[in-house]
Amino acid sequence: MNTPHTPRALDTDQARTRLHELVVLDVRTPGEYATGHLPGALNIPLDHLHQALPDIRHAARHADLLVVCASGARSENACRTLAAEGITTATLTGGTTAWAADGHALHHPGRTRHSAWDMERQVRLTAGAVVLTGLVLGRLRPVFRLASAGIAGGLVYSALTNTCGMAALLAKLPHNHPHQGDLEETLAALRTG
């Protein structure tokens, strides 16, 4: 059960020593989750968090919750959302990237479908493609350079606010959505855990 002394953030060593007593929620896309996740982590993509609230609330009555993503930004967002619903959580400082960098093992499930890129890579590809296209087409019509300027402004805003609108849009693409059965299995695990 959650206690008042539960920290809002755990570093990778703190999380590793408590992993056996935590319910770990990975809020990355299913494709990112499939590339490697903390052992025992359950995948609830950030855009499905509200759908999972009853089951997350149930799990929080029985164990402390640790929310993880790739770098910590999406998990912090998820923690704020859950806190607004009265659910106490902690986030993993630095996310799965820090976990792996500190030498802790990631679980790599058997893949039955193609492996999706992690969200950061998808954002870099999309931003780079739009900027490059804007610059190339800008040689024909200068107005196309506005697309490049828009992406540059979006990247600055993203860094200042620690949010990413492009990632939110890319998360809506079909390859970034869980199969309905996968999400149902995750929610059932929260109810029975």
Side-chain angles (χ1 to χ4, degrees):
M1 179 171 275
N2 288 321
T3 57
H5 69 279
T6 301
R8 294 197 47 83
L10 297 176
D11 66 30
T12 60
D13 289 328
Q14 291 170 318
R16 184 184 48 77
T17 60
R18 293 192 58 207
L19 200 57
H20 65 282
E21 64 188 47
L22 297 169
V23 172
V24 181
L25 304 177
D26 190 320
V27 296
R28 297 176 298 159
T29 66
E32 291 175 289
Y33 175 81
T35 64
H37 55 269
L38 273 68
L42 300 170
N43 185 221
I44 302 178
L46 186 58
D47 60 343
H48 287 78
L49 203 59
H50 285 287
Q51 175 185 349
L53 279 173
D55 299 311
I56 294 170
R57 187 173 281 111
H58 175 79
R61 288 187 202 115
H62 304 286
D64 288 336
L65 302 179
L66 177 65
V67 183
V68 301
C69 66
S71 66
R74 284 178 280 175
S75 61
E76 287 176 11
N77 185 5
C79 287
R80 282 192 299 273
T81 299
L82 294 171
E85 297 291 331
I87 301 170
T88 303
T89 60
T91 184
L92 178 63
T93 303
T96 56
T97 302
W99 178 270
D102 287 347
H104 305 305
L106 291 173
H107 176 71
H108 298 276
R111 296 185 183 125
T112 57
R113 57 187 185 151
H114 70 84
S115 177
W117 289 357
D118 67 38
M119 188 55 65
E120 182 182 334
R121 187 175 181 192
Q122 291 180 52
V123 167
R124 288 193 317 255
L125 173 70
T126 304
V130 171
V131 168
L132 187 59
T133 301
L135 292 173
V136 169
L137 293 177
R139 294 184 60 118
L140 301 173
R141 294 217 169 141
V143 72
F144 285 112
R145 292 185 191 146
L146 292 176
S148 298
I151 294 296
L155 291 171
V156 170
Y157 179 79
S158 176
L160 293 173
T161 62
N162 201 24
T163 62
C164 186
M166 187 179 291
L169 288 173
L170 291 172
K172 296 183 184 308
L173 293 175
H175 69 275
N176 285 324
H177 282 275
H179 294 328
Q180 189 58 36
D182 294 344
L183 186 57
E184 289 171 7
E185 286 179 25
T186 297
L187 298 179
L190 286 173
R191 286 189 294 272
T192 60

